[in-house]
Amino acid sequence: IEVASPNWLLQELNFRCNANDFPVSTRPTILLAGVGPDHAATTFARYTWKPDQVTTARSWTPAHEINSNDEELAVKLRPWHSILAEAEIPHHPKTNQAHIDVLNVDCGACEYNLI
């Protein structure tokens, strides 16, 4: 799960170019999302994206770290259950239950809404 659209695009391109060795059924899904509250109201969060540090997007930036190249992104926060539904989690062949081997939730502090 990635919150910053420029980072998501780079990850998606990198994955598509370099993941030919993996069967399609085992390829992970990279979702563009921010985790928000379960209620139905539309909630957005503002994030600072630093183009010179493509792994950096966060909802807080100390004043001394802000520079003219930074971009502000508005991210729609979505309930966790809707993000998981979009992920189309594969089912375990023996139990037919949704099965996740590795789940990386690092979406610019949006993951704190899960705690």
Side-chain angles (χ1 to χ4, degrees):
I1 299 173
E2 172 60 51
V3 72
S5 52
N7 291 356
W8 174 85
L9 181 59
L10 291 172
Q11 291 171 13
E12 188 70 24
L13 288 172
N14 186 5
F15 190 74
R16 287 180 185 212
C17 291
N18 296 300
N20 291 331
D21 295 337
F22 297 98
V24 172
S25 62
T26 63
R27 291 182 187 171
T29 301
I30 303 169
L31 299 175
L32 177 60
V35 180
D38 281 337
H39 57 76
T42 301
T43 306
F44 284 85
R46 293 185 332 181
Y47 286 84
T48 302
W49 179 66
K50 297 180 164 292
D52 57 343
Q53 300 173 6
V54 294
T55 60
T56 302
R58 56 187 178 192
S59 58
W60 53 272
T61 300
H64 70 277
E65 291 185 15
I66 296 174
N67 66 50
S68 61
N69 292 333
D70 294 351
E71 297 287 336
E72 185 174 277
L73 306 173
V75 177
K76 182 179 178 184
L77 302 180
R78 297 171 30 208
W80 180 240
H81 60 84
S82 74
I83 295 170
L84 287 179
E86 182 184 333
E88 298 178 356
I89 299 168
H91 286 70
H92 192 278
K94 292 183 181 176
T95 64
N96 201 30
Q97 294 181 352
H99 179 79
I100 300 173
D101 290 320
V102 176
L103 176 63
N104 177 15
V105 180
D106 182 11
C107 46
C110 283
E111 67 272 14
Y112 294 125
N113 290 319
L114 293 172
I115 298 173

Coordinates of all heavy atoms in Angstrom, one line a residue, residues 2-10 46-61 67-75:
E2 N 0.7 2.1 -1.0 CA 1.5 3.3 -1.1 C 0.6 4.5 -1.2 O -0.4 4.5 -1.9 CB 2.4 3.2 -2.4 CG 3.1 4.5 -2.7 CD 4.1 4.9 -1.7 OE1 4.9 4.1 -1.2 OE2 4.0 6.1 -1.3
V3 N 0.9 5.5 -0.5 CA 0.0 6.7 -0.4 C 0.4 7.8 -1.5 O -0.5 8.5 -1.9 CB 0.1 7.3 1.0 CG1 1.4 8.0 1.3 CG2 -1.1 8.2 1.2
A4 N 1.6 7.9 -1.9 CA 2.0 8.9 -2.8 C 2.0 8.4 -4.2 O 2.6 7.4 -4.6 CB 3.4 9.4 -2.5
S5 N 1.2 9.1 -5.1 CA 1.0 8.6 -6.4 C 2.3 8.5 -7.2 O 2.5 7.6 -8.0 CB -0.1 9.4 -7.2 OG 0.2 10.8 -7.1
P6 N 3.2 9.5 -7.1 CA 4.5 9.4 -7.9 C 5.3 8.1 -7.4 O 5.9 7.4 -8.3 CB 5.2 10.7 -7.5 CG 4.2 11.6 -7.1 CD 3.2 10.8 -6.4
N7 N 5.3 7.8 -6.2 CA 6.0 6.6 -5.7 C 5.3 5.4 -6.2 O 6.0 4.4 -6.6 CB 6.1 6.6 -4.2 CG 7.0 7.7 -3.6 OD1 7.6 8.4 -4.3 ND2 7.0 7.8 -2.3
W8 N 4.0 5.4 -6.1 CA 3.2 4.2 -6.6 C 3.6 3.9 -8.1 O 3.8 2.8 -8.4 CB 1.7 4.5 -6.4 CG 0.9 3.4 -7.0 CD1 0.5 2.2 -6.4 CD2 0.3 3.4 -8.3 NE1 -0.2 1.5 -7.3 CE2 -0.3 2.2 -8.5 CE3 0.4 4.3 -9.4 CZ2 -1.0 1.8 -9.7 CZ3 -0.3 4.0 -10.6 CH2 -1.0 2.7 -10.7
L9 N 3.6 5.0 -8.9 CA 3.9 4.8 -10.3 C 5.3 4.2 -10.5 O 5.4 3.3 -11.3 CB 3.7 6.1 -11.0 CG 4.0 6.1 -12.5 CD1 3.0 5.1 -13.2 CD2 3.8 7.5 -13.1
L10 N 6.2 4.7 -9.8 CA 7.6 4.2 -9.9 C 7.7 2.7 -9.5 O 8.3 1.9 -10.1 CB 8.6 5.0 -9.1 CG 8.8 6.5 -9.7 CD1 9.7 7.3 -8.7 CD2 9.5 6.4 -11.0
R46 N -3.4 15.5 3.7 CA -2.4 16.2 2.9 C -1.0 15.6 3.3 O -0.7 15.4 4.4 CB -2.4 17.7 3.2 CG -3.6 18.4 2.8 CD -3.6 19.8 3.0 NE -2.8 20.3 4.0 CZ -2.7 21.6 4.4 NH1 -3.3 22.5 3.7 NH2 -1.9 21.9 5.4
Y47 N -0.2 15.3 2.2 CA 1.1 14.8 2.3 C 2.1 15.6 1.6 O 1.8 16.2 0.6 CB 1.1 13.3 1.8 CG 0.4 12.4 2.7 CD1 -1.0 12.2 2.6 CD2 1.1 11.7 3.6 CE1 -1.6 11.4 3.5 CE2 0.4 10.8 4.5 CZ -0.9 10.7 4.4 OH -1.6 9.9 5.3
T48 N 3.3 15.6 2.1 CA 4.4 16.2 1.4 C 5.2 15.2 0.7 O 5.6 14.2 1.4 CB 5.3 17.0 2.4 OG1 4.5 18.0 3.1 CG2 6.5 17.7 1.7
W49 N 5.4 15.3 -0.6 CA 6.2 14.4 -1.3 C 7.5 15.1 -1.8 O 7.4 16.2 -2.2 CB 5.4 13.9 -2.6 CG 6.2 13.0 -3.4 CD1 6.6 11.7 -3.1 CD2 6.7 13.2 -4.7 NE1 7.3 11.1 -4.1 CE2 7.4 12.0 -5.1 CE3 6.6 14.3 -5.6 CZ2 8.0 11.9 -6.4 CZ3 7.2 14.2 -6.9 CH2 7.9 13.0 -7.2
K50 N 8.6 14.5 -1.5 CA 9.9 15.1 -1.9 C 10.5 14.3 -3.1 O 10.9 13.2 -3.0 CB 10.8 14.9 -0.7 CG 10.4 15.7 0.6 CD 11.3 15.5 1.7 CE 11.1 16.5 2.7 NZ 11.4 17.9 2.3
P51 N 10.4 15.0 -4.3 CA 10.9 14.3 -5.5 C 12.3 13.9 -5.4 O 12.7 12.9 -6.1 CB 10.7 15.4 -6.6 CG 9.7 16.3 -6.0 CD 9.9 16.3 -4.5
D52 N 13.2 14.6 -4.7 CA 14.6 14.2 -4.6 C 14.8 13.0 -3.6 O 15.9 12.5 -3.5 CB 15.4 15.4 -4.2 CG 15.0 16.0 -2.9 OD1 13.9 15.8 -2.4 OD2 15.8 16.8 -2.3
Q53 N 13.7 12.6 -2.9 CA 13.8 11.4 -2.0 C 12.5 10.6 -2.3 O 11.6 10.6 -1.6 CB 13.8 11.9 -0.6 CG 14.9 12.7 -0.2 CD 14.8 13.3 1.2 OE1 13.9 12.9 1.9 NE2 15.7 14.2 1.6
V54 N 12.6 9.8 -3.4 CA 11.3 9.2 -3.9 C 10.7 8.2 -2.9 O 9.6 7.7 -3.2 CB 11.5 8.5 -5.3 CG1 11.8 9.6 -6.3 CG2 12.6 7.5 -5.2
T55 N 11.4 7.9 -1.9 CA 10.8 7.0 -0.9 C 10.1 7.8 0.2 O 9.7 7.2 1.2 CB 11.8 6.0 -0.3 OG1 12.8 6.8 0.4 CG2 12.4 5.1 -1.3
T56 N 10.0 9.1 0.1 CA 9.5 9.9 1.2 C 8.2 10.5 0.8 O 8.1 11.3 -0.1 CB 10.5 11.0 1.6 OG1 11.7 10.4 1.9 CG2 10.1 11.8 2.7
A57 N 7.2 10.2 1.6 CA 5.9 10.9 1.6 C 5.4 10.8 3.0 O 5.3 9.7 3.6 CB 4.9 10.3 0.6
R58 N 5.0 11.9 3.6 CA 4.6 11.9 4.9 C 3.6 13.0 5.2 O 3.6 14.0 4.5 CB 5.7 11.9 5.9 CG 6.7 13.0 5.8 CD 7.8 12.8 6.7 NE 8.8 13.9 6.5 CZ 10.0 14.0 6.9 NH1 10.4 13.0 7.6 NH2 10.8 15.0 6.7
S59 N 2.8 12.8 6.2 CA 1.8 13.8 6.6 C 2.3 14.9 7.5 O 1.6 15.8 7.8 CB 0.6 13.1 7.3 OG 1.0 12.4 8.4
W60 N 3.6 14.8 7.9 CA 4.2 15.8 8.7 C 5.6 16.0 8.2 O 6.3 15.1 7.8 CB 4.3 15.3 10.2 CG 5.0 14.0 10.3 CD1 4.4 12.7 10.2 CD2 6.4 13.7 10.4 NE1 5.3 11.7 10.2 CE2 6.6 12.3 10.4 CE3 7.5 14.5 10.5 CZ2 7.8 11.7 10.5 CZ3 8.7 13.9 10.6 CH2 8.9 12.5 10.6
T61 N 6.0 17.3 8.1 CA 7.3 17.7 7.7 C 7.8 18.8 8.6 O 7.1 19.9 8.5 CB 7.3 18.1 6.2 OG1 6.9 17.0 5.4 CG2 8.7 18.5 5.8
N67 N 11.4 22.4 1.3 CA 12.1 23.1 0.3 C 11.2 23.4 -0.9 O 10.1 22.8 -1.0 CB 13.5 22.4 -0.1 CG 13.3 21.1 -0.7 OD1 12.5 21.0 -1.7 ND2 13.9 20.1 -0.3
S68 N 11.7 24.2 -1.8 CA 10.9 24.6 -3.0 C 10.5 23.5 -3.9 O 9.5 23.6 -4.7 CB 11.6 25.7 -3.7 OG 12.8 25.2 -4.2
N69 N 11.2 22.3 -3.9 CA 10.9 21.2 -4.8 C 9.8 20.3 -4.2 O 9.3 19.5 -5.0 CB 12.1 20.3 -5.0 CG 13.2 21.1 -5.8 OD1 12.9 22.0 -6.6 ND2 14.4 20.7 -5.6
D70 N 9.4 20.5 -3.0 CA 8.4 19.6 -2.4 C 7.1 19.8 -3.0 O 6.7 20.9 -3.4 CB 8.3 19.9 -0.9 CG 9.5 19.5 -0.1 OD1 10.4 18.8 -0.7 OD2 9.6 19.8 1.1
E71 N 6.3 18.8 -3.1 CA 4.9 18.8 -3.7 C 4.0 18.4 -2.6 O 4.2 17.5 -1.8 CB 4.8 17.8 -4.8 CG 5.7 18.2 -6.0 CD 5.2 19.4 -6.8 OE1 4.0 19.7 -6.7 OE2 6.0 20.0 -7.5
E72 N 2.8 19.1 -2.5 CA 1.8 18.7 -1.6 C 0.8 17.8 -2.3 O 0.3 18.2 -3.4 CB 1.1 19.9 -1.0 CG 0.1 19.5 0.1 CD -0.5 20.7 0.8 OE1 0.2 21.2 1.7 OE2 -1.6 21.1 0.4
L73 N 0.5 16.6 -1.8 CA -0.5 15.7 -2.4 C -1.7 15.6 -1.5 O -1.6 15.6 -0.2 CB 0.1 14.3 -2.5 CG 1.4 14.2 -3.2 CD1 2.0 12.8 -3.1 CD2 1.3 14.6 -4.7
A74 N -2.9 15.6 -2.1 CA -4.1 15.3 -1.3 C -4.5 13.8 -1.6 O -4.6 13.4 -2.7 CB -5.2 16.2 -1.8
V75 N -4.6 13.1 -0.5 CA -4.9 11.6 -0.6 C -6.2 11.3 0.0 O -6.5 11.7 1.2 CB -3.8 10.9 0.1 CG1 -4.0 9.4 0.1 CG2 -2.4 11.2 -0.5

